[in-house]
Amino acid sequence: MKVAELLEKRRENWLQLEQFCEQMKGRRLASLGAANISRFAALYRAACADLALADSYQLPPNTVQYLHRLVGRAHNQLYRSRKFDLTSWLIVLLFEVPQRVFNDRCVQLMFCIFWGTFVLSAALAYSKQLWPDYAEQMLTSAQIESLEENFKNPIAGRPSEANFVMAGFYIQHNTSIGLRCFAGGLLVVPGLFITLFNAAFLGAAFGYMARPDVAAGTNFLHFVTAHGPFELTAIVLSAGAGLRLGVSWLKTNGLTREASLSKTAEEAMPIMGAAMVMFFLAAMIEGFLSPSAAPYWVKATVAVLSSGMLMFYFIVLGIPRRPSNAVG
Amino acid sequence: MQADVAQIDTKIEVVTPENIAFHYQVAGPARRAMAFLIDLVIRLGILFGVGCLTAVFGIVAGGVAILGYLIAYFLLDWFYGALFETFMNGQTPGKRVLGIRVLTVDGQPINGLQAVIRNVLRSVDLMPVLSLEMFGIPAPMYIIPTFMVGLVIMATNRRFQRLGDLVCRTMVVMEERQWLAGVARLDDPRAMRLADYLPADFQITRTLAQALAHYVERRGYYSEARRREVARHLGEPLLRQFGLPHDTSHDLLLCALYYRAFVADVGDEARRKVRQGESPFGPPDATAAAAAAGQFPRTWPLPQQQMVTLPPAAGPDAARIL
């Protein structure tokens, strides 16, 4: 059979396959109808076969190129991205993440780095002898002034409108910092820098506000108690997951760097997901409860309860199980 | 030859579950940057729309409206690409306009997790960032991403993967529509006549057929002198082999061979007879006899009528082959 004849015979099939590709673009597969879908699949397989035999048919190169493109387009319409599956994400968040975090050296290391820097910075800012200017240098005097200004008055609630706005701001702002910590961890240095900077800054703010001669101090502590556990855990968690990413291409455990990186990313992203949930909870508490006029014991109870929940999450759900009990 | 082409080209071979290997062309940084800019504009547009809604809804409940706006801002900032790539099968609106798509390196569609990872990690690829303050403009809110990390990483691998792509094993490929051009048309009826003078038992090998197709599909772009220059290399030895007059145009000879190889093989019949022991030179039918006598019937079908052509709405690519 001559090529021209063959092309004439196939042309109709190919053009029809092309039409289907056009039709399916940006639509759900089901909208095409069962008969058309099976027709589409048959046409696709036929085009695949034509491409496979192109060499022995001696098709001209431009037709072969056309077939490559056509098969590529049809392939992408047939094999489609899978959607988010909420239940499986929930299982990952509730069972896999805590177990992974429990054993994750990077998260533990980041925990130590973050809290070590935090406590050191707080001590330096608190003490007037060790490094008298530390608080001013770390926080800048403008920041100190605005901190003192903000917490000048006892916390007595504010209009609910402002609560909503601030909750939105905390979600946007804090979660973005967490995500940046995570992404920056891939290159190790930026991630460490963001984390250390945040730890030092927060530590200095706590240390300075805890000084007995700072009038706004009690109000400040009153404000931060309730949302502290969630927020600080979330930042440690995102930085730890980021560090895990960065370490994965430095220490590959026998895999290629690329394989190690992609395997780790699939494990680390859910940890970041858990951190995002915590950021969200912290933002809600920070937006609505922390600035409210509720007495201190309520806020302290919330802090204790949320710490308890985190303990439960990371220790009870996270304790390593025998493989027979392991989920997934 | 294919392997060599793949080395210098941006082609990636993908093997499908149907056990077919086909080629993708990988999308380069310029095209992806365009798609990113379009997405950026769309993102700002959506944000503006949400802002208007917020303003309207804010009359009733200002706080909740602004909460919604800030959450929308956060989601657009970090998950715009991830959501679209998951629900639009690896494309964002910008990518669709530019005809590119995200796939895994095995050519499979990406899943939600991969879409999220590669979009969250864009914040590394766009490093280092400049701020307008560096240029003396007091606007700390606005930063300029330079995408240097992403560009350098893209330059180091064959698939133009940025860091986010490397991490979740994805790549961005072009998905362009190409028009079916069919067999090239020969504008010279003499080529077809010359085909009759070629020895009937001459077998056109696969590589020769490919070379012929490459030449004839492209000769439309060449000037007369260039055609002569290119066709000489193959034409000269073939003329000698066929024992045709030396002044036969090489270009015409290649066209005739092309016609023989891809369109209509008058030699088929003759070769069959050679194998059966009949003389190929006997007059099998009137047309061949007339051809041998150098008289060509007026009713000979023009090549254009025999070959695959495109429907009228075929577009510019088809026209170029003519």
Side-chain angles (χ1 to χ4, degrees):
Chain A
M1 185 156 47
K2 276 289 112 178
V3 173
E5 266 175 72
L6 182 82
L7 289 184
E8 193 57 59
K9 275 177 105 172
R10 295 287 197 271
R11 202 184 83 189
E12 208 167 315
N13 284 350
W14 294 343
L15 291 181
Q16 201 182 3
L17 183 58
E18 242 181 87
Q19 266 176 8
F20 276 128
C21 285
E22 269 318 285
Q23 273 178 30
M24 288 163 82
K25 222 178 188 177
R27 280 212 258 158
R28 300 181 65 82
L29 199 61
S31 70
L32 214 62
N36 279 342
I37 292 173
S38 64
R39 172 88 183 131
F40 171 80
L43 286 173
Y44 168 64
R45 283 193 299 273
C48 280
D50 287 335
L51 180 58
L53 294 172
D55 199 38
S56 50
Y57 285 160
Q58 297 200 10
L59 295 184
N62 68 355
T63 309
V64 176
Q65 202 190 0
Y66 166 80
L67 277 177
H68 276 301
R69 298 264 164 92
L70 179 65
V71 168
R73 286 175 67 212
H75 175 83
N76 288 341
Q77 294 301 341
L78 195 65
Y79 298 96
R80 294 176 158 222
S81 54
R82 275 143 288 178
K83 307 291 175 250
F84 290 109
D85 183 3
L86 274 183
T87 30
S88 69
W89 280 59
L90 219 58
I91 287 171
V92 168
L93 274 188
L94 284 181
F95 297 99
E96 283 179 28
V97 169
Q99 301 212 357
R100 212 161 271 151
V101 169
F102 191 86
N103 278 324
D104 197 319
R105 291 268 173 269
C106 283
V107 175
Q108 291 161 7
L109 180 66
M110 203 39 112
F111 183 86
C112 296
I113 292 176
F114 183 88
W115 284 107
T117 315
F118 184 92
V119 170
L120 182 69
S121 177
L124 286 176
Y126 180 78
S127 151
K128 286 174 186 168
Q129 281 86 44
L130 284 174
W131 186 343
D133 297 336
Y134 177 79
E136 279 75 18
Q137 284 169 353
M138 187 66 217
L139 296 171
T140 72
S141 46
Q143 293 268 17
I144 290 178
E145 254 173 53
S146 83
L147 264 177
E148 287 187 343
E149 176 67 29
N150 283 345
F151 296 102
K152 190 174 56 185
N153 301 318
I155 291 159
R158 61 186 177 199
S160 69
E161 194 141 296
N163 282 349
F164 281 106
V165 174
M166 288 318 286
F169 173 76
Y170 295 135
I171 289 176
Q172 192 271 323
H173 182 253
N174 296 351
T175 317
S176 292
I177 289 182
L179 282 166
R180 232 167 270 140
C181 263
F182 171 72
L186 182 56
L187 297 180
V188 187
V189 178
L192 274 178
F193 175 77
I194 300 175
T195 317
L196 286 179
F197 177 77
N198 275 300
F201 187 87
L202 287 174
F206 271 82
Y208 180 82
M209 294 310 254
R211 282 183 186 178
D213 57 336
V214 175
T218 41
N219 297 331
F220 175 77
L221 294 179
H222 197 170
F223 180 77
V224 296
T225 306
H227 62 264
F230 275 137
E231 195 168 283
L232 296 178
T233 310
I235 196 100
V236 169
L237 215 51
S238 22
L243 185 65
R244 164 63 59 202
L245 269 188
V247 166
S248 74
W249 60 267
L250 295 171
K251 182 172 178 291
T252 58
N253 289 328
L255 299 169
T256 63
R257 287 191 203 288
E258 213 185 318
S260 165
L261 198 54
S262 60
K263 178 172 164 284
T264 310
E266 269 172 32
E267 294 168 359
M269 195 65 218
I271 299 180
M272 186 61 226
M276 278 164 62
V277 172
M278 284 174 207
F279 274 121
F280 185 80
L281 291 174
M284 284 299 149
I285 297 173
E286 190 176 1
F288 294 102
L289 179 68
S290 296
S292 74
Y296 185 72
W297 65 266
V298 174
K299 294 177 185 177
T301 312
V302 169
V304 170
L305 277 180
S306 49
S307 304
M309 275 168 67
L310 288 172
M311 297 270 193
F312 178 81
Y313 184 67
F314 287 119
I315 296 174
V316 179
L317 290 177
I319 203 131
R321 288 140 211 250
R322 284 194 302 277
S324 59
N325 292 343
V327 174
Chain B
M1 195 191 91
Q2 281 296 331
D4 290 343
V5 170
Q7 291 305 309
I8 53 168
D9 243 336
T10 51
K11 273 184 192 159
I12 289 295
E13 194 174 82
V14 162
V15 180
T16 73
E18 290 77 21
N19 220 4
I20 302 297
F22 63 91
H23 295 146
Y24 271 125
Q25 194 150 10
V26 186
R31 192 172 272 251
R32 290 173 65 175
M34 280 300 293
F36 178 75
L37 284 180
I38 292 176
D39 282 330
L40 193 66
V41 171
I42 293 174
R43 240 159 68 182
L44 290 176
I46 296 176
L47 210 55
F48 180 74
V50 175
C52 291
L53 275 180
T54 307
V56 173
F57 192 67
I59 300 167
V60 193
V64 183
I66 294 175
L67 171 72
Y69 177 78
L70 286 167
I71 290 179
Y73 174 67
F74 167 71
L75 289 179
L76 279 175
D77 201 16
W78 288 95
F79 297 101
Y80 167 89
L83 286 174
F84 274 114
E85 279 164 20
T86 309
F87 290 103
M88 274 171 60
N89 198 14
Q91 286 183 316
T92 59
K95 287 196 172 71
R96 175 165 293 185
V97 171
L98 270 293
I100 55 182
R101 192 189 288 277
V102 187
L103 296 176
T104 69
V105 289
D106 312 315
Q108 299 293 311
I110 61 170
N111 59 32
L113 187 60
Q114 284 167 318
V116 169
I117 293 174
R118 72 184 294 281
N119 281 287
V120 165
L121 291 182
R122 179 175 293 116
S123 69
V124 184
D125 280 306
L126 54 76
M127 280 201 262
V129 290
L130 306 175
S131 79
L132 286 178
E133 279 179 319
M134 291 178 190
F135 304 104
I137 304 166
M141 286 299 284
Y142 299 100
I143 54 164
I144 310 163
T146 56
F147 280 100
M148 277 305 136
V149 171
L151 271 177
V152 169
I153 301 278
M154 272 170 130
T156 59
N157 62 66
R158 234 157 51 77
R159 301 193 189 97
F160 286 144
Q161 290 167 294
R162 62 176 172 82
L163 214 44
D165 286 322
L166 278 178
V167 170
C168 55
R169 299 177 60 74
T170 55
M171 61 179 178
V172 183
V173 299
M174 312 248 277
E175 192 182 59
E176 273 183 327
R177 192 166 176 186
Q178 197 195 0
W179 302 99
L180 174 57
V183 178
R185 280 192 197 182
L186 302 171
D187 44 11
D188 195 343
R190 287 178 305 163
M192 210 180 49
R193 282 181 235 150
L194 182 61
D196 280 342
Y197 288 99
L198 302 177
D201 57 347
F202 180 66
Q203 290 281 1
I204 295 172
T205 61
R206 190 168 296 181
T207 45
L208 178 60
Q210 236 176 28
L212 288 170
H214 276 303
Y215 174 71
V216 174
E217 278 162 15
R218 267 168 226 184
R219 66 186 275 279
Y221 304 105
Y222 297 157
S223 69
E224 195 59 47
R226 178 69 67 190
R227 281 184 200 172
R228 231 175 285 142
E229 186 189 343
V230 175
R232 193 170 57 90
H233 299 287
L234 190 52
E236 251 178 13
L238 282 176
L239 276 185
R240 235 175 289 129
Q241 189 184 338
F242 296 155
L244 291 169
H246 287 296
D247 56 348
T248 314
S249 154
H250 297 142
D251 174 52
L252 206 61
L253 176 68
L254 295 195
C255 289
L257 276 170
Y258 180 85
Y259 179 76
R260 161 80 73 82
F262 290 107
V263 186
D265 191 352
V266 285
D268 264 351
E269 187 74 359
R271 267 201 299 277
R272 196 175 53 76
K273 281 177 183 156
V274 172
R275 255 178 267 125
Q276 286 167 355
E278 293 176 32
S279 161
F281 300 110
D285 55 41
T287 330
Q295 305 160 349
F296 294 99
R298 290 275 121 204
T299 53
W300 190 283
L302 284 172
Q304 281 86 344
Q305 290 166 341
Q306 298 177 339
M307 292 174 216
V308 175
T309 52
L310 284 167
D317 275 345
R320 263 191 265 136
I321 298 291
L322 300 184

